[in-house]
Amino acid sequence: MAPHANGDLSGSTNGSTNGSAHAANGISSPKTFKVSSPNVTYTDAEIQSKYKYRTTAVTKDASGEITAAPKEVTYDFSTTRHVPKTGVMLVGLGGNNGSTFSAGILANRHKLSWATRNGTQAANYYGSLVMGSTIKLGSDANTGEEINVPFHGMLPMVHPNDLIVGGWDISGMDVASAMDRAKVLEPTLKDQVRKDLQAMKPMPSVFYPHFVATNQKERADNVLSGEKASWDHVEQIRKDIREFKQANSLESVIVLWTASTERYASIIPGVNDTASALQEAIKSGHEEVSPSTIYAVASILEGVPYINGSPSNTFVPGCVELAEQHSSYIGGDDFKSGQTKMKSALVDFLIGAGVKLNSIASYNHLGNNDGRNLSEHAQFRSKEISKSNVVDDMVAANHVLYDKETKEHPDHCVVIKYMPAVADTKRAMDEYYGEIFLGGKQTISVVNVCEDSLLASPLMVDLVIVAEMMTRIKWRKSGEGDFKGFHSVLSVLSFMLKAPLTPPGTPVVNALAKQRSALVNIFRACVGLEPENDMTLEHKLFNAPPAKAFA
C-alpha cells in the first residue's frame, strides 16, 4: 500500500495507510511504499505529481507516406488523500445483484465464514479488480525480482467494507427477503446476514412500465406515483439522495443502476438531444424519457456520480451534455462479467496473434429476473447491441486481416434465452471460427458456466471505488492555471463495462488489456511513476559470452 491516505474517517492524517483502517479477510496489510522522486510531493492533504505524458503523433501526406513523431506533454496531478465516508445507492437494491452485493459487503465487513458442502468458506472479494489483483510497482534494485502491490494500495481508495448501502426498488421487499427470492447465496451465509438485511428496505422507485418487459409489473408494489417522466420524480430522487447522505453522515455518494434492462429510448431532436430539451421533456412528461435517465439527471443535478450497469441507452445526448454543464461524473454501460469479458480478452489475443476470425456465435441462457426481463424483444435488443459491439475496435485495428475500405468484419451473433430452471447460474457458449496458415481453419468452442450475481457484485465494488477515487484526482497542464477534474464521462471505468461510454468524439476501446492498462497507468501517473513497462531491458542487454563457432 502507498502512504497516501488518512487511517480513519474522522479526518486525521497519518500518511501510512491506504484509506482503510483494516485489511480484508483479516489478512495483514502489506508494507507501504512511497515514491522517491523530485516530481512527487506528499502533503497532509494531497499527493502532487509532475508527469510527462509521452505519445506518438502520426501524419500521412498526399502520397500516403506515414510519419511518426514522438510527442510529450507535462501534466500536474493533485490527488486528495482524505478518504471520505462513502455511501452507494443502488437502483435495484432488491434485485439479485443488489441483495448479493449488500450481503457480500456485510460478510466481508464482519469477516464471516460459513459451512458449504465443500467445506468452510470465508468471505472474500474475488472477482474484483481493485480488491483481488495487484499492480507491478517495479523491480527489486538488488535482485531484479518483480515487486507487485495490491491494486487497492496504489492510491487512497475507499475500502468496500466501509461502504454504506441503500437505494430504491420497484419491489418493497426488505433486502433479506429479496436475497431469499434471488436464490444465489448459501443458507448458512444468509442466516448470518439476515438480521442486518431485514432492516434494509428500498425506497419507492420510478417505474414506467413501457420501458421494461410486461412480466415486471407483478413486482412493482413500491413505486412513485406516475407512469411517465415527471420533474417531481427528479426532485424526489434528489431528496432521497440528500436525506440518505445526511442520515448516514456521508461525505460522498455514488448512485449505481443495477435494475432491469430498459428498451432503447428513441433519440428525438428537441426531446433528448440537448440538456435543455431533455429537462423540458421531463417536465412535459414525454414518453421517451426512461426511468434510468431520470435517476441520471437527478444524480447530475445533485453532483453525485451516476453509473449505469445495464445496456439501456440512459445517457442520451442531452444527459451527457447536462453532466458536462454541471461537471458531474457519469459512467456506463452494462456490467462486463462473464461471456463478454472472455470475448474481449480472447478476440484481442487471437487477432493480435494474426488469426483471422470469420465468425463469432454467442449463445446464453439464464433463469434469473434479468433473463426473464430479456425474454421480450425490446429489452433483449438493448442487450444484443451492448454485447455485439465488443469486438469492433480490435477488428478495426488490424487492417492486415480485415480490409478497411470494405469495412470487413467477422459475422457476429448473440442469442439469449430465458430458462427458469438454471436460476442465477448462467450458461454461455461461444464458437470462434477463423482462418489460419495456408487456408487452414480453426474452431475454438468455449463453455462458460457462471453465477451471474456473484460475478456482477465485485464489478459493482470496482465501479464504486474507482468512480469515487476519480472525484479526488485533479489535473492541469504543467504550470497552467487551476486544477480541474477529468471529463464528466468516466471512460476510465471501461474495464468493468461491456459498452464503454466515452466522451463525445473520442474512440471506444473494448480490448480488455488496454482498458486495464489505461486505469493502472493513470493511477501510476498520480504518484509520479512511469507507465508499466514489460521491455525488461535490464535482463536483455547484458554482455553475453561470445558464441562458440560451429565445427
Side-chain angles (χ1 to χ4, degrees):
M1 296 177 220
H4 299 332
N6 61 325
D8 57 33
L9 297 171
S10 64
S12 64
T13 302
N14 62 26
S16 63
T17 70
N18 70 336
S20 172
H22 49 258
N25 312 321
I27 299 171
S28 60
S29 299
K31 297 291 185 183
T32 62
F33 75 86
K34 67 178 181 180
V35 177
S36 177
S37 166
N39 295 322
V40 182
T41 303
Y42 294 93
T43 71
D44 285 348
E46 297 171 331
I47 311 165
Q48 299 167 350
S49 71
K50 190 176 294 293
Y51 180 77
K52 290 185 178 180
Y53 178 55
R54 297 182 174 97
T55 54
T56 304
V58 178
T59 56
K60 186 187 292 187
D61 65 19
S63 68
E65 183 174 340
I66 295 173
T67 301
K71 181 180 176 183
E72 182 178 289
V73 181
T74 302
Y75 291 104
D76 297 330
F77 288 98
S78 177
T79 304
T80 300
R81 297 176 71 179
H82 172 67
V83 179
K85 185 178 181 183
T86 300
V88 54
M89 300 185 77
L90 303 178
V91 188
L93 177 62
N96 285 29
N97 289 346
S99 58
T100 303
F101 175 89
S102 301
I105 296 295
L106 286 170
N108 277 282
R109 180 184 297 161
H110 298 300
K111 300 177 183 176
L112 300 182
S113 59
W114 56 96
T116 75
R117 64 184 180 183
N118 296 316
T120 300
Q121 175 64 52
N124 60 50
Y125 282 113
Y126 294 171
S128 163
L129 172 72
V130 173
M131 300 303 299
S133 74
T134 60
I135 293 175
K136 176 185 174 182
L137 184 63
S139 300
D140 187 284
N142 296 315
T143 66
E145 178 189 1
E146 188 174 286
I147 304 299
N148 295 277
V149 296
F151 197 116
H152 187 260
M154 199 69 190
L155 285 175
M157 298 181 224
V158 171
H159 196 291
N161 288 4
D162 297 326
L163 292 172
I164 307 299
V165 183
W168 306 264
D169 202 282
I170 64 171
S171 169
M173 269 187 189
D174 65 73
V175 178
S177 299
M179 173 181 65
D180 290 335
R181 178 176 60 188
K183 300 177 182 177
V184 173
L185 302 174
E186 295 275 4
T188 45
L189 170 57
K190 292 196 293 184
D191 288 346
Q192 296 184 70
V193 297
R194 185 172 302 281
K195 183 177 180 181
D196 286 329
L197 294 184
Q198 281 175 336
M200 293 175 61
K201 292 186 169 61
M203 291 176 281
S205 182
V206 175
F207 181 62
Y208 307 155
H210 57 289
F211 271 96
V212 292
T214 54
N215 57 40
Q216 298 301 298
K217 291 181 182 179
E218 63 197 55
R219 295 168 71 108
D221 60 6
N222 187 46
V223 300
L224 298 175
S225 177
E227 294 188 347
K228 61 181 181 179
S230 161
W231 199 256
D232 287 343
H233 291 168
V234 173
E235 291 298 338
Q236 182 60 53
I237 300 306
R238 294 185 66 181
K239 181 172 179 283
D240 291 343
I241 294 170
R242 289 193 298 269
E243 290 180 350
F244 178 74
K245 189 174 183 179
Q246 183 177 13
N248 293 285
S249 302
L250 301 175
E251 299 167 273
S252 178
V253 172
I254 311 291
V255 178
L256 174 64
W257 177 281
T258 183
S260 295
T261 298
E262 300 166 334
R263 67 163 175 83
Y264 254 44
S266 300
I267 307 301
I268 304 173
V271 173
N272 50 19
D273 59 335
T274 68
S276 58
L278 176 60
Q279 291 173 90
E280 287 303 315
I282 295 172
K283 291 172 183 176
S284 67
H286 199 286
E287 294 199 349
E288 280 306 303
V289 179
S290 68
S292 63
T293 298
I294 295 289
Y295 280 97
V297 168
S299 300
I300 289 166
L301 295 178
E302 279 303 302
V304 303
Y306 179 85
I307 302 165
N308 176 32
S310 83
S312 312
N313 65 332
T314 301
F315 301 118
V316 294
C319 191
V320 175
E321 183 179 274
L322 187 68
E324 292 172 332
Q325 289 176 356
H326 289 265
S327 299
S328 291
Y329 290 116
I330 56 175
D333 298 308
D334 201 4
F335 301 135
K336 181 164 58 186
S337 56
Q339 183 182 62
T340 307
K341 182 176 282 187
M342 295 288 293
K343 187 180 295 181
S344 62
L346 187 55
V347 171
D348 187 32
F349 160 69
L350 290 171
I351 292 178
V355 175
K356 184 175 182 178
L357 287 173
N358 299 123
S359 71
I360 306 167
S362 297
Y363 168 85
N364 306 254
H365 67 261
L366 69 166
N368 58 18
N369 192 56
D370 183 34
R372 189 165 184 247
N373 180 61
L374 293 173
S375 65
E376 293 194 10
H377 178 73
Q379 287 69 39
F380 164 70
R381 180 60 182 150
S382 294
K383 178 69 79 171
E384 183 181 36
I385 291 169
S386 78
K387 290 173 79 73
S388 296
N389 295 337
V390 70
V391 303
D392 289 355
D393 61 308
M394 293 166 261
V395 171
N398 194 330
H399 56 81
V400 175
L401 297 179
Y402 300 98
D403 186 76
K404 206 167 189 176
E405 297 299 320
T406 62
K407 298 182 179 179
E408 187 179 8
H409 194 281
D411 296 335
H412 188 192
C413 74
V414 177
V415 177
I416 301 175
K417 295 296 182 182
Y418 176 52
M419 300 287 283
V422 302
D424 203 65
T425 307
K426 178 169 62 176
R427 271 71 168 168
M429 286 156 267
D430 295 87
E431 182 185 271
Y432 300 86
Y433 177 69
E435 294 180 49
I436 53 174
F437 191 52
L438 300 179
K441 305 295 182 184
Q442 180 178 24
T443 300
I444 301 173
S445 299
V446 178
V447 178
N448 185 4
V449 180
C450 50
E451 292 168 290
D452 208 23
S453 300
L454 297 180
L455 289 176
S457 293
L459 295 184
M460 294 161 66
V461 167
D462 290 338
L463 288 164
V464 169
I465 293 174
V466 175
E468 191 288 318
M469 186 71 250
M470 294 305 294
T471 68
R472 291 185 281 122
I473 301 173
K474 308 298 180 187
W475 70 275
R476 68 181 178 189
K477 282 191 176 180
S478 190
E480 292 184 10
D482 296 331
F483 282 92
K484 50 193 160 187
F486 276 61
H487 191 278
S488 288
V489 176
L490 288 176
S491 57
V492 74
L493 302 177
S494 296
F495 183 85
M496 285 76 75
L497 298 160
K498 282 190 186 77
L501 186 70
T502 61
T506 64
V508 176
V509 175
N510 284 293
L512 200 66
K514 288 183 180 180
Q515 293 172 336
R516 189 184 195 276
S517 178
L519 178 57
V520 167
N521 288 327
I522 287 171
F523 282 11
R524 289 176 68 88
C526 291
V527 293
L529 295 176
E530 292 292 309
E532 281 192 348
N533 189 323
D534 294 317
M535 292 171 68
T536 59
L537 291 178
E538 63 272 26
H539 302 316
K540 297 177 173 67
L541 300 182
F542 56 88
N543 292 320
K548 292 181 179 179
F550 288 103

